[in-house]
């Protein structure tokens, strides 16, 4: 018998996989937007289309010794959550009512985009200290929860959950 992942586990693993495309030299982040157990968009942090990647050009925030969580406007990159929302828009797919799975808790800039895009739930794996993001999510009524890996359910190769 093999173990069958829960939906949360499967989607978080896909977010982790997306994060591996990141070219950020400080933090690799991935995001997946899901609706009705179907992936509708993915994103990872990196520069805009056509721009030189940070692992080539270097990180201005690192060069300036900017602490994590500060001066986001200096970064060349677009956050994973932003890229997932943008990619859905480019494809003409609404994210309203969807769930965003992200390897890190969203920052306040991403929180504002998530709220206005109509996403109804955020599931994150690792914490990111941004009290404004937490406050915005609380005010908006969006459900935010930390992913806690559960024991996966046994699954028989012959079919079905045991």
């Amino acid at each position: 018998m093999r173990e069958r992942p829960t939906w949360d586990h499967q989607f978080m693993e896909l977010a982790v996989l997306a994060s591996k495309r990141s070219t950020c030299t400080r933090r690799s982040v991935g995001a997946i937007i899901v609706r009705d157990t179907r992936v509708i968009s993915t994103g990872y942090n990196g520069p805009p289309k056509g721009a030189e990647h940070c692992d080539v050009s270097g990180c201005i925030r690192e060069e300036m010794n900017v602490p994590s969580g500060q001066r986001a406007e200096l970064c060349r990159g677009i956050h994973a959550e932003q890229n997932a929302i943008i990619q859905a828009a480019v494809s003409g797919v609404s994210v309203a009512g969807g769930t965003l799975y992200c390897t890190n808790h969203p920052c306040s800039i991403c929180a504002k985009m998530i709220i206005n895009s109509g996403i109804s739930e955020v599931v994150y794996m690792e914490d990111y200290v941004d009290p404004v993001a937490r406050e915005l999510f609380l005010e908006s009524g969006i459900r935010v929860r930390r992913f806690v890996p559960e024991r996966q359910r046994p699954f028989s190769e012959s079919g079905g959950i045991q």
Side-chain angles (χ1 to χ4, degrees), residues 29-31 79-82 85 100-115 119 121-137 142-145:
V29 180
H79 290 186
E81 304 93 321
Q82 296 168 4
I85 292 168
L100 184 137
Y101 287 84
C102 193
T103 56
N104 290 82
H105 189 285
C107 71
S108 57
I109 296 168
C110 290
K112 291 182 264 187
M113 289 182 71
I114 290 164
I115 293 163
I119 289 170
E121 181 179 28
V122 173
V123 182
Y124 69 96
M125 191 166 56
E126 295 179 15
D127 242 340
Y128 179 77
V129 180
D130 188 335
V132 174
R134 293 182 191 286
E135 185 178 313
L136 288 168
F137 282 135
I142 291 180
R143 183 176 180 208
V144 178
R145 60 188 170 89

Side-chain angles (χ1 to χ4, degrees), residues 34-54:
V34 176
R35 192 176 49 235
D36 300 324
T37 66
R38 302 287 183 265
V39 175
I40 59 173
S41 188
T42 66
Y44 56 88
N45 58 329
K49 193 180 340 180
E52 193 169 54
H53 289 278
C54 303

Side-chain angles (χ1 to χ4, degrees), residues 15-88:
V16 169
L17 181 62
S19 76
K20 294 179 181 183
R21 294 278 308 152
S22 171
T23 57
C24 179
T25 59
R26 292 174 66 138
R27 181 189 316 258
S28 295
V29 180
I32 304 292
I33 302 174
V34 176
R35 192 176 49 235
D36 300 324
T37 66
R38 302 287 183 265
V39 175
I40 59 173
S41 188
T42 66
Y44 56 88
N45 58 329
K49 193 180 340 180
E52 193 169 54
H53 289 278
C54 303
D55 58 357
V56 173
S57 67
C59 177
I60 193 168
R61 291 167 45 84
E62 226 166 65
E63 292 167 15
M64 296 175 69
N65 259 346
V66 177
S68 179
Q70 296 178 18
R71 304 289 316 268
E73 75 280 4
L74 294 175
C75 183
R76 297 171 48 82
I78 300 171
H79 290 186
E81 304 93 321
Q82 296 168 4
N83 264 328
I85 292 168
I86 291 166
Q87 291 308 311

